Amino acid sequence: MDKRLSLENRIGVELKSYDGLMGIYINDFRGNVIRIHDREKFETASTIKLFVLAALFDRIHKGELSLQDMLEYKKEHVIDGSGILSSMEVGTKLSLKNIATLMIIVSDNIATNMLIDFLGVEAINDCIGRLGCRDTVLHNRIDFEAYSRLGTSTPADYASVWERMAQGTLIDRACSEQMLAICRQQHYNSMLTKNLPPYYLDPDNYEEEIIYVASKSGSMDACRNDGGIVSTPYGSYVIVMFNKDFGDNQYYAEHPATVFGSRVSRLIFDQYLALEGRLVL
């Protein structure tokens, strides 16, 4: 085979005209891993919320908390940005499960602050360390006026969480399955799915869902990130794409990071299906 047509080189060709830096990590669980700037550090934006979710389930696994425990939405949790709790009354009480679900599937910033304040930044970082993610840190709660950043991570660290979730070893199998069920409902995964064939992603086309994506994305002025698990009839693969150093900080559907990221995602999807569950032969 012509090495100029290797998967890594084809990704490189796809990104030739991209004006940013994309860190990529892809694992087909068949011994094939693609790494491009995977140890580069990036601002996490809302991808840090996956680590908050893991810290919550770590406490649940230890028997210290229950998903049915209730928290009150208080004035100090209020913050602008994504989510729906900003439209609800302060004083509303929600279960930990509902708060965690809102944090992930609509990236609710108020739900995130509720969990960060409840669990504690230090405790969350302790859990991140125990997960072996040495280059990942939650810097602070979400507060755009007080802080210019939220978290730092690498594509490799972020992918390692998805890998263990896919294998049922993130905390334990029960926790992995519950976290996966939440992440499958995620609404903001356009970088991963924008260019995938809609037919495959519509469960109405099948008696049972044969292809699904479980993911968590994140965007701030300094970054555009996405990552998760793509499950197919041939198995599952993990794909993470973190972006920084691009010229345009505005938010819109056709942002270059989203456009080029979605092209990479489609390239990987087609390759994986064509080789029936492998990235390379």
Side-chain angles (χ1 to χ4, degrees):
M1 177 181 176
D2 191 330
K3 291 184 178 180
R4 291 172 297 178
L5 300 180
S6 70
L7 184 56
E8 291 93 332
N9 284 337
R10 285 159 54 212
I11 292 172
V13 168
E14 197 70 69
L15 298 177
K16 273 287 186 184
S17 57
Y18 177 44
D19 73 341
L21 176 68
M22 186 181 296
I24 299 171
Y25 184 105
I26 309 160
N27 184 357
D28 67 2
F29 297 106
R30 301 282 185 91
N32 303 304
V33 177
I34 305 298
R35 303 171 183 265
I36 301 173
H37 305 302
D38 69 306
R39 285 295 179 186
E40 183 82 17
K41 291 184 179 180
F42 293 77
E43 164 65 49
T44 62
S46 289
T47 57
I48 198 68
K49 295 171 183 178
L50 185 70
F51 295 97
V52 177
L53 184 70
L56 171 64
F57 272 90
D58 183 55
R59 294 278 302 278
I60 291 168
H61 174 66
K62 292 174 178 176
E64 299 171 357
L65 298 172
S66 165
L67 284 175
Q68 304 313 313
D69 291 343
M70 305 295 288
L71 288 184
E72 182 179 346
Y73 166 28
K74 299 178 180 179
K75 187 175 181 179
E76 56 262 33
H77 298 134
V78 175
I79 188 68
D80 293 333
S82 56
I84 63 172
L85 284 179
S86 59
S87 300
M88 299 178 68
E89 293 181 354
V90 171
T92 299
K93 293 184 178 180
L94 300 97
S95 68
L96 288 176
K97 181 177 182 180
N98 286 335
I99 295 168
T101 299
L102 290 174
M103 176 180 70
I104 296 297
I105 72 171
V106 292
S107 205
D108 197 294
N109 285 342
I110 291 175
T112 304
N113 274 351
M114 291 174 71
L115 286 179
I116 291 175
D117 290 350
F118 178 66
L119 298 171
V121 171
E122 184 176 350
I124 293 169
N125 283 324
D126 284 345
C127 180
I128 290 172
R130 282 186 273 109
L131 291 175
C133 299
R134 299 178 181 177
D135 295 317
T136 300
V137 60
L138 169 67
H139 298 297
N140 39 253
R141 73 200 302 273
I142 303 174
D143 187 331
F144 301 117
E145 293 185 1
Y147 308 110
S148 60
R149 59 183 185 173
L150 179 57
T152 301
S153 189
T154 65
D157 270 8
Y158 196 54
S160 72
V161 177
W162 291 110
E163 287 171 335
R164 280 172 281 183
M165 193 187 303
Q167 294 170 319
T169 60
L170 185 59
I171 303 174
D172 70 358
R173 181 163 296 278
C175 290
S176 294
E177 290 175 353
Q178 289 179 85
M179 286 185 280
L180 182 62
I182 292 173
C183 293
R184 284 182 62 174
Q185 302 174 65
Q186 217 273 115
H187 292 186
Y188 307 126
N189 53 13
S190 59
M191 193 182 299
L192 289 187
T193 64
K194 180 180 175 65
N195 280 356
L196 300 189
Y199 181 86
Y200 291 132
L201 300 176
D202 185 352
D204 290 339
N205 293 323
Y206 307 96
E207 292 183 3
E208 59 180 299
E209 193 173 31
I210 65 168
I211 291 179
Y212 69 79
V213 176
S215 65
K216 182 71 194 84
S217 60
S219 296
M220 290 174 64
D221 284 350
C223 68
R224 301 287 188 279
N225 304 328
D226 209 347
I229 302 164
V230 179
S231 177
T232 81
Y234 300 119
S236 299
Y237 63 90
V238 165
I239 177 170
V240 170
M241 296 173 289
F242 280 11
N243 293 269
K244 65 178 181 179
D245 298 340
F246 39 74
D248 188 350
N249 290 336
Q250 294 187 80
Y251 294 88
Y252 55 98
E254 296 299 319
H255 187 279
T258 301
V259 170
F260 282 92
S262 62
R263 290 177 183 172
V264 171
S265 180
R266 178 61 188 266
L267 188 159
I268 298 303
F269 181 82
D270 287 346
Q271 177 100 344
Y272 188 84
L273 293 189
L275 298 182
E276 299 185 351
R278 292 181 179 274
L279 294 176
V280 297
L281 289 175

